Every structure is written in structure tokens, then in C-alpha cells.
Amino acid sequence: DSGVTQTPKHLITATGQRVTLRCSPRSGDLSVYWYQQSLDQGLQFLIQYYNGEERAKGNILERFSAQQFPDLHSELNLSSLELGDSALYFCASSLTTSGESKNTGELFFGEGSRLTVL
Amino acid sequence: DAKTTQPTSMDCAEGRAANLPCNHSTISGNEYVYWYRQIHSQGPQYIIHGLKNNETNEMASLIITEDRKSSTLILPHATLRDTAVYYCIVRGAQKLVFGQGTRLTINP
């Protein structure tokens, strides 16, 4: 158990719809990262937040948005969903913005939210 | 962030050492080498990282060449549970950029 909680674990929806994925980081971690993993694809970095502020942006579509709240949990909003958005969405957390978690430089990943768009 | 090159797949017999290579010829002086693995569709798991010295922990050893242009992850006594995709990542800035990784299969 990494300590990172993602909900929901599974989600099935239709094209054109909007969904929200939620992530609770490990206790004390200030940074949250979102990644997308499509079928048989690698992990694509989407976006990073640190203590409520956006710190880095990757291949995130304009239809997608994210935020980190004062209690440090984060939400990833996916709108106007397309079939190609079906994927595993992972959240990871770390202590600092540089990704350093104590002495290991470790990002802790949740178990992911599997989104299926029909 | 520098890019990495890994073999697409590798096989190893159970109980033997698994040696996973990674090339990162464009690595710069302040960039670390990280290794993560992903078992099936679970969340990636941190294994080890290093800058220029060899590192060892309870999971693996990391050997980095003197010029830092390549590294090798060593799982000393591979078990069936080590079957996973292994990612070598070079990181200096904030985000972790994953490549395609090496699919390691441990055979009984």
C-alpha cells in the first residue's frame, strides 16, 4: 500500500460525458502528479501540482483539467470524453516539488482509476 | 530531461540474476537515474536511484558507468514475482518521464 488513494477504481461512461477522478496523496506529501496509461502504452505525464499550484505540465489535453485543493487532495477532470480517453489514470505524490521524498527521491503511485469510454 | 533506451523485452530464469541495461547518453551532470517497475496494471513502484555511484538496496543494485551514459539494474535472485515492466528514467527537473520500459519475464 503506497498510501495514495484514488477513486473511483473503475468508471464506465459514454462519449461526450464528463468525469472527475480523485486522488488523496500520502499524508504529508505536497506534490501530486497525474499520469495517463492507455492500453499497451507507456505512462504519459499529464500535470503536477505542488501545494495547490500548478508546477509542471505535460501532454494534457485542453479537455482535461486538474486542481489541488487546500487539503492537498487533487482532482482530474476529463470532459467531452472520446473513445481514445479510455485508459488507466494514475496519481502519484511526493513530499517536495522536486520529487524528493525524504531520502529516496521517490514518487508514490496509487493503484489507478480505470476509465472506459463507450 | 534526457531520454533513455531500453530493450523491449528480456527473459531470465528464476533464481538467476536479472541484468537490465539502460542507455542514457545525453544525461547531464545534475540528472539522476531512477528505476521503477510496473507489475501488470498496478501503480509503478520505485526500485532505486543514483547519481554517479553504484547503489544497492533490499530490492536491487544499480550500476552506473563512469561516464554516466549507461546503467544496469541488477535483481540478484529473480523470482516469478519480479515479472514486470521496468522503467529506466533520467530526471533532473520535477516530473518523471516514463519511456516504454523493458518487459522482464522470469521463467520457472
Side-chain angles (χ1 to χ4, degrees):
Chain A
D1 182 7
S2 67
V4 177
T5 303
Q6 290 188 246
T7 57
K9 286 186 168 41
H10 300 275
L11 188 56
I12 301 174
T13 189
T15 54
Q17 295 298 305
R18 171 190 171 96
V19 298
T20 297
L21 309 180
R22 181 188 170 99
C23 171
S24 294
R26 288 191 328 149
S27 177
D29 281 358
L30 301 176
S31 275
V32 170
Y33 307 74
W34 286 98
Y35 287 82
Q36 178 194 54
Q37 187 172 37
S38 303
L39 188 64
D40 294 329
Q41 296 295 313
L43 287 135
Q44 299 293 317
F45 169 74
L46 296 178
I47 199 163
Q48 179 212 352
Y49 280 83
Y50 173 75
N51 204 20
E53 294 187 1
E54 182 184 307
R55 281 302 175 95
K57 214 166 188 175
N59 302 320
I60 188 166
L61 300 173
E62 285 191 9
R63 299 184 286 108
F64 297 178
S65 65
Q67 58 184 126
Q68 186 179 28
F69 294 86
D71 67 353
L72 301 177
H73 91 271
S74 178
E75 292 181 356
L76 179 66
N77 300 296
L78 316 174
S79 62
S80 302
L81 285 168
E82 302 175 358
L83 297 178
D85 298 327
S86 295
L88 266 171
Y89 291 85
F90 288 104
C91 169
S93 74
S94 68
L95 180 61
T96 72
T97 183
S98 66
E100 299 295 325
S101 187
K102 295 190 177 179
N103 295 322
T104 65
E106 180 176 357
L107 264 64
F108 297 86
F109 282 81
E111 290 305 307
S113 293
R114 183 176 294 278
L115 172 66
T116 302
V117 182
L118 301 176
Chain B
D1 296 327
K3 293 195 173 182
T4 62
T5 303
Q6 300 177 252
T8 303
S9 63
M10 294 182 64
D11 287 276
C12 179
E14 188 178 19
R16 305 297 292 268
N19 296 278
L20 291 90
C22 179
N23 285 321
H24 31 78
S25 58
T26 59
I27 192 170
S28 60
N30 63 346
E31 291 181 317
Y32 284 77
V33 179
Y34 283 79
W35 285 83
Y36 279 73
R37 73 179 182 183
Q38 186 176 25
I39 297 173
H40 194 46
S41 294
Q42 298 177 16
Q45 177 190 22
Y46 166 84
I47 300 173
I48 199 168
H49 78 288
L51 183 62
K52 53 184 177 181
N53 297 321
N54 297 338
E55 302 288 345
T56 295
N57 62 20
E58 65 278 3
M59 288 183 68
S61 294
L62 174 60
I63 309 298
I64 302 174
T65 58
E66 194 169 340
D67 63 8
R68 303 212 320 126
K69 293 185 177 182
S70 65
S71 60
T72 301
L73 178 75
I74 301 172
L75 307 178
H77 304 287
T79 71
L80 298 179
R81 286 178 295 182
D82 292 322
T83 292
V85 177
Y86 287 76
Y87 297 97
C88 168
I89 302 159
V90 171
R91 181 172 70 88
Q94 298 169 9
K95 57 187 185 289
L96 234 55
V97 178
F98 288 80
Q100 292 303 308
T102 295
R103 185 173 297 276
L104 175 67
T105 302
I106 307 300
N107 301 306

